[in-house]
Amino acid sequence: MLTDAVLTLLTAARGNYISGAEMSKTLGVTRMAVSNAVRALREQGYAISSITNRGYCLTAQPDNLTPGDVLGRLPESRRGTVRVFDTIDSTNTYLKREFMGGAPHGLCAVANEQTAGRGRVGRTFLSAPNCGVYLSVLLRPTCAPADCATLTSHAAVAVCRALERVCGVRPGIKWTNDILLGGKKVCGILTELSLEGESGAVDSVVIGIGINANNLPEDFPEELREIAGSVYSAAGVRVCRAELAAALIMELDAMTQAWSNDPRAYLQAYRALCLTTGKEVRVLRGDTQRLAFAESVTDDFALAVRYPDGSTEALTGGEVSVRGLLGYQCD
């Protein structure tokens, strides 16, 4: 839509004026078409000032997740591989479909709402409209499945960095991949791999991230309010979701590059952000649970625990869940 294209240019101008003639030339439309698009944006709640011989300047905007809101915050070279949706079934599911059609490495899907958001082990991920950021990225690494084992942990660090950059908060990671702020889960990560049939090599990886940005406590089902929170509820910071989405894309790009060079590139950062180590936990495996002390994160991002009988174990995320003794479980 032309309004999205105009909004992208206004957002990219970052508070500076851009002339109607320049936008007309860039977009290949008439000056009148640009003027009409600006009028439509104003009707949607965007504050756009105009000065003769200077052009238009975006001075304020509502908390929307539209292509124009997000793409204008990204480098021009990145915009072509980012798709922004108002409503979608699942950003992960969308990218898995696009992969089958030959979608490129790095394709991102961002949504204002998911109608079929998914979490780990088949759980539903609540993805209400107008309050969260739901984003997935498609990767095409050439490696064995085991080599991808650290990707989710790296993505957790990328999320923390994006939140700190945009919101000024410092969240932590509950091993293995839940992001906590104020003791509650504000983000979940779901990584899904597909394998090439004959070689068993990885065909694709889709990393899905759901962030509770501006949710209020009453936005969550009553049974989740003790464990689920939002950035706004925890820190009192109203999140610009478009800015957070753009920052997350850039952090994921940096993470992917670092990980491709070294599968342990973010190990020290992960250790520094991990909230689980140094605490007593319950290790849940099937219907059984054992008390343990979480000692450290290993070089392979496993959780090293010590049981009361003195025995030790390195836990991997696919095997168990870890629950804090206070009773919260964020997996």
Side-chain angles (χ1 to χ4, degrees):
M1 293 178 60
L2 181 58
T3 52
D4 283 320
V6 169
L7 181 56
T8 296
L9 295 179
L10 291 169
T11 302
R14 290 173 170 79
N16 296 311
Y17 281 85
I18 179 171
S19 71
E22 183 179 348
M23 287 195 283
S24 173
K25 181 179 179 180
T26 299
L27 301 176
V29 298
T30 65
R31 290 278 298 276
M32 180 59 70
V34 170
S35 177
N36 289 338
V38 169
R39 183 181 303 111
L41 289 169
R42 285 170 172 159
E43 292 173 354
Q44 295 170 27
Y46 294 88
I48 303 171
S49 66
S50 57
I51 298 178
T52 303
N53 297 326
R54 292 188 66 187
Y56 302 99
C57 177
L58 179 65
T59 58
Q61 56 199 113
D63 179 33
N64 290 338
L65 271 182
T66 69
D69 292 295
V70 176
L71 299 183
R73 290 177 161 84
L74 294 170
E76 188 172 356
S77 60
R78 189 64 172 96
R79 297 173 193 168
T81 48
V82 176
R83 315 273 174 81
V84 184
F85 302 91
D86 181 48
T87 301
I88 198 172
D89 53 355
S90 158
T91 54
N92 265 35
T93 302
Y94 170 79
L95 288 184
K96 289 164 73 175
R97 290 195 298 261
E98 291 298 292
F99 163 74
M100 298 301 293
H105 172 87
L107 180 66
C108 281
V110 183
N112 175 58
E113 177 188 21
Q114 293 183 122
T115 58
R118 295 180 289 112
R120 289 181 59 207
V121 294
R123 293 187 179 95
T124 297
F125 187 88
L126 185 66
S127 309
N130 307 321
C131 54
V133 175
Y134 316 111
L135 183 152
S136 299
V137 60
L138 170 67
L139 307 180
R140 288 177 171 269
T142 304
C143 61
D147 295 332
C148 293
T150 66
L151 259 175
T152 303
S153 298
H154 280 66
V157 174
V159 171
C160 289
R161 290 179 173 177
L163 285 169
E164 185 167 10
R165 185 206 303 186
V166 173
C167 308
V169 298
R170 185 171 174 81
I173 302 169
K174 174 195 168 285
W175 185 88
T176 55
N177 63 347
D178 285 332
I179 310 302
L180 304 187
L181 192 62
K184 294 186 177 182
K185 179 177 177 177
V186 299
C187 172
I189 302 172
L190 175 65
T191 301
E192 298 182 290
L193 281 69
S194 68
L195 305 180
E196 198 279 324
E198 294 185 3
S199 68
V202 175
D203 257 347
S204 71
V205 179
V206 175
I207 302 175
I209 296 165
I211 300 177
N212 300 329
N214 293 321
N215 310 64
L216 299 174
E218 55 266 30
D219 293 329
F220 299 104
E222 188 171 351
E223 65 271 17
L224 295 180
R225 291 175 189 171
E226 289 299 313
I227 62 173
S230 71
V231 178
Y232 175 67
S233 294
V237 177
R238 293 294 296 185
V239 180
C240 175
R241 294 180 301 136
E243 185 178 359
L244 179 57
L248 187 54
I249 291 169
M250 300 309 295
E251 289 291 349
L252 287 170
D253 286 352
M255 177 277 291
T256 303
Q257 183 61 49
W259 173 86
S260 65
N261 294 327
D262 178 4
R264 295 180 176 84
Y266 282 12
L267 177 60
Q268 296 307 318
Y270 185 91
R271 284 171 169 163
L273 290 165
C274 185
L275 301 172
T276 307
T277 52
K279 295 181 175 65
E280 291 186 315
V281 298
R282 282 180 284 180
V283 177
L284 286 77
R285 183 181 277 111
D287 295 328
T288 66
Q289 60 177 285
R290 297 178 68 184
L291 293 178
F293 182 80
E295 294 189 325
S296 64
V297 174
T298 72
D299 289 350
D300 295 321
F301 292 83
L303 184 67
V305 300
R306 182 177 297 276
Y307 296 108
D309 62 7
S311 62
T312 61
E313 186 179 10
L315 307 176
T316 60
E319 296 178 339
V320 298
S321 296
V322 172
R323 180 182 296 177
L325 291 185
L326 294 180
Y328 65 83
Q329 183 179 15
C330 300
D331 57 11

